[in-house]
Amino acid sequence: MVIGPDGELGLPWLRPVLDQALASVRGHATLVHGPGGVGQFELAIALAQAWLCEAAEPGPRPCGRCAACHLMQARMHPDFHLLIPDALREPLGWQMDGEGARDSDAKKAKPSREIKVEAVRTAIDWSQQTSSRGRGKVVVIHPAQAMNLVAANALLKTLEEPPGNLKLLLCSSDPEALLPTLRSRCQRLLLPRPERAMALQWLASQGVQEAEVLYAAAGEQPVEALAMLQAGIDAAQWRRLPQALRAGQAAALTAWPLPRAIDALQKLCHDLTVVAVGGEPRYFEATQLPPGAQLPALNAWQATLRRAARHDEHPWNASLLIESLVLEGRGVWPAAAPAPRGGGRGRVGTL
């Protein structure tokens, strides 16, 4: 729940930005941007709820108590429309719009990471209908860069000439990936990273043990750090990852979701590369990184990891792919003997 019954925010660092937005946003289209994993989606939902809030008494918006706030909390507000990729609906807790009616073939397919043109056109048609509760309508698009080119172009006319009292909220951790014509039609709202002390305190309140380890692992993005823990990646596993790679223990990663396993290897490759040229690592402690990794091999491994990340939705045999990536990664240390193929499979999840 983003907004509690007394109007408190689940992410405490959002309140100053939300208050600023309510005081300064005047246009019909707003681009919420900043680093990913710090609450862009939550801020957009809170802002939408504040605009639709029906509280009569003065006080912070949203109030969390009125009928409109209750409808938002129940994912049932008739004047709110959410555009997100199917792959994000379950992680964000927004299964809706008759998803249970999908046919069996659609259920077997992997959820898309794109926002497709059909979904955008449906939202445009919806926006042209009269507001049900009389306070206007709000569309949230998250992440905006998930719209393919056709979908983004379909949105342009609505951004330029919105029907009625429509407000659009676009979220993006990479605004430059959006069409310039989209960016130019939006007022910008920056969501910066929260202060470290506040982020660590919040993570501890969510039950994250050794919060500073996952906070660094997530690139100082607290919402992403919590998502890592919810995906089964704890601080102890993260600390042991460099030595597991050095030993060629591919089984240590095969229990992780494939995108997160590839992301972890990319972060490890990044830190090994930084240390190899005399810099300070970002995601791991320097004492956890085995010395002696060679730059040419690291560069080649990084290229392989980038290719794997681009195709992590492909129906790979995940364990074989991870084994291949770990074996190549082990080779960045010239003294590393080849690990036996399939070695360590019996220790899945023991990283």
Side-chain angles (χ1 to χ4, degrees), residues 177-196:
L178 302 177
L179 291 176
T181 44
L182 284 182
R183 295 198 306 268
S184 65
R185 288 165 169 80
C186 297
Q187 180 177 345
R188 292 202 176 198
L189 177 63
L190 174 64
L191 177 59
R193 286 188 179 89
E195 294 181 359
R196 175 183 173 86

Side-chain angles (χ1 to χ4, degrees), residues 275-345:
V275 169
V277 297
E280 292 294 324
R282 178 181 181 187
Y283 304 105
F284 295 86
E285 294 179 13
T287 55
Q288 296 165 3
L289 299 173
Q294 302 298 299
L295 272 176
L298 284 167
N299 291 335
W301 188 39
Q302 186 64 268
T304 300
L305 291 169
R306 281 197 299 268
R307 288 193 296 271
R310 284 198 298 269
H311 302 291
D312 62 10
E313 285 189 81
H314 190 279
W316 305 104
N317 182 316
S319 61
L320 290 179
L321 175 61
I322 291 301
E323 182 178 338
S324 172
L325 295 173
V326 168
L327 288 175
E328 181 174 345
R330 190 177 189 234
V332 305
W333 292 279
R341 196 162 178 80
R345 284 188 181 173

Side-chain angles (χ1 to χ4, degrees), residues 92-300:
L92 293 176
W94 281 83
Q95 301 94 330
M96 54 190 222
D97 295 335
E99 287 189 343
R102 291 178 179 173
D103 59 35
S104 58
D105 290 338
K107 289 180 180 178
K108 292 177 183 177
K110 272 197 171 182
S112 174
R113 291 188 180 185
E114 283 192 339
I115 297 174
K116 298 182 179 179
V117 66
E118 294 82 2
V120 171
R121 288 172 178 160
T122 297
I124 292 171
D125 291 343
W126 171 88
S127 71
Q128 293 170 346
Q129 301 168 12
T130 303
S131 168
S132 295
R133 299 186 67 86
R135 298 190 66 86
K137 310 187 88 169
V138 183
V139 175
V140 168
I141 305 174
H142 173 82
Q145 64 265 25
M147 288 187 291
N148 58 37
L149 183 60
V150 179
N153 279 315
L155 186 66
L156 286 176
K157 182 173 177 58
T158 301
L159 278 175
E160 189 169 310
E161 300 177 5
N165 190 15
L166 173 69
K167 291 185 179 293
L168 297 108
L169 280 165
L170 285 69
C171 305
S172 179
S173 59
D174 185 12
E176 298 307 309
L178 302 177
L179 291 176
T181 44
L182 284 182
R183 295 198 306 268
S184 65
R185 288 165 169 80
C186 297
Q187 180 177 345
R188 292 202 176 198
L189 177 63
L190 174 64
L191 177 59
R193 286 188 179 89
E195 294 181 359
R196 175 183 173 86
M198 179 181 288
L200 291 178
Q201 182 180 10
W202 177 78
L203 285 170
S205 73
Q206 302 300 306
V208 179
Q209 302 294 320
E210 299 180 277
E212 66 280 359
V213 176
L214 287 187
Y215 180 65
E220 300 183 347
Q221 300 173 20
V223 176
E224 171 62 13
L226 181 60
M228 290 177 65
L229 182 64
Q230 291 169 342
I233 304 169
D234 62 22
Q237 290 176 319
W238 189 261
R239 280 200 308 268
R240 289 197 290 266
L241 179 57
Q243 291 297 338
L245 177 71
R246 182 67 175 82
Q249 294 174 358
L253 281 167
T254 54
W256 296 15
L258 181 58
R260 290 202 174 275
I262 295 174
D263 178 67
L265 292 174
Q266 286 183 300
K267 289 175 176 177
L268 178 52
C269 184
H270 169 277
D271 277 7
L272 289 170
T273 302
V274 168
V275 169
V277 297
E280 292 294 324
R282 178 181 181 187
Y283 304 105
F284 295 86
E285 294 179 13
T287 55
Q288 296 165 3
L289 299 173
Q294 302 298 299
L295 272 176
L298 284 167
N299 291 335

